[in-house]
Amino acid sequence: MKVIIATVVAFGFLGGLIGSQTHAADLGKPAAPATFEQILAMRDKQPLTGCYAETSVAGTYLRAGDRNAQGGIGGGCDIIVSGITMGTGIRADWGDVTTGSVFAKLGIAVNANLALYGIAELRSLDWKIKDSGQLQLGAGVETSLSIISPSLSAFLEGTTSVSKFGPTATKDDVLIRLGARVRF
């Protein structure tokens, strides 16, 4: 977990250095406020913003030495503001066990096609949140696949359990997820 946190912090520092460069054009009088058309044009230049549908494959590695794979679907929305990416979503996974989850993410947009983020996910067996649950924290990376389609991106996430509750709480320790998102 410490390695994941250190990696996210290092990439955040590097992104801050890249994003903090000034140019001669920055000097002088302030720019006029952006028009609505300019804001919409900027959104089109940021392929990792907007709402999406996703599909993924997740590998769960259990402390007991067991492993299982799950297929999943989900959806959510992301926004990038001043190089900071924020998002939230919902997922359902099927495999040896059925789980539902909600998640939130916060990170940096390295450029218009690459985002690094931390993720917090609350998972529950069979969507029975009052009976059991698990809080997972981790990190992820998402990159635009605009060479294939401007609305397509791929993502990789890794999370680990930090808290569990309920008599039927899942026993996941580490979850690795690889998937694709289509933005609309």
Side-chain angles (χ1 to χ4, degrees):
M1 182 66 182
K2 291 179 183 179
V3 173
I4 293 172
I5 293 171
T7 303
V8 170
V9 169
F11 278 113
F13 178 73
L14 180 62
L17 288 177
I18 293 169
S20 66
Q21 297 175 355
T22 59
H23 304 281
D26 295 337
L27 304 175
K29 64 181 187 175
T35 65
F36 185 69
E37 289 80 17
Q38 290 170 327
I39 292 170
L40 290 178
M42 287 187 333
R43 183 187 174 280
D44 292 338
K45 293 179 183 176
Q46 295 180 339
L48 298 180
T49 60
C51 294
Y52 57 84
E54 73 176 32
T55 184
S56 62
V57 175
T60 304
Y61 301 90
L62 307 176
R63 185 170 299 211
D66 297 337
R67 298 180 184 160
N68 67 38
Q70 297 175 315
I73 60 170
C77 293
D78 294 336
I79 188 168
I80 297 174
V81 177
S82 298
I84 304 296
T85 181
M86 299 169 275
T88 187
I90 189 168
R91 290 186 176 130
D93 292 319
W94 293 272
D96 294 341
V97 293
T98 301
T99 58
S101 63
V102 293
F103 63 91
K105 58 186 184 175
L106 178 66
I108 62 164
V110 177
N111 59 37
N113 296 311
L114 180 67
L116 304 172
Y117 54 88
I119 185 168
E121 185 170 16
L122 179 61
R123 299 182 56 160
S124 179
L125 283 173
D126 297 321
W127 289 96
K128 296 178 181 172
I129 296 173
K130 64 180 178 142
D131 295 337
S132 68
Q134 172 181 359
L135 176 63
Q136 291 191 312
L137 298 178
V141 61
E142 183 175 6
T143 185
S144 172
L145 299 176
S146 57
I147 194 165
I148 298 170
S149 170
S151 61
L152 186 63
S153 65
F155 69 98
L156 175 67
E157 296 172 349
T159 58
T160 187
S161 300
V162 295
S163 178
K164 301 174 189 176
F165 61 89
T168 59
T170 59
K171 296 180 170 43
D172 304 351
D173 288 330
V174 175
L175 182 106
I176 306 296
R177 182 182 303 275
L178 176 65
R181 292 182 173 133
V182 177
R183 299 196 183 267
F184 48 88

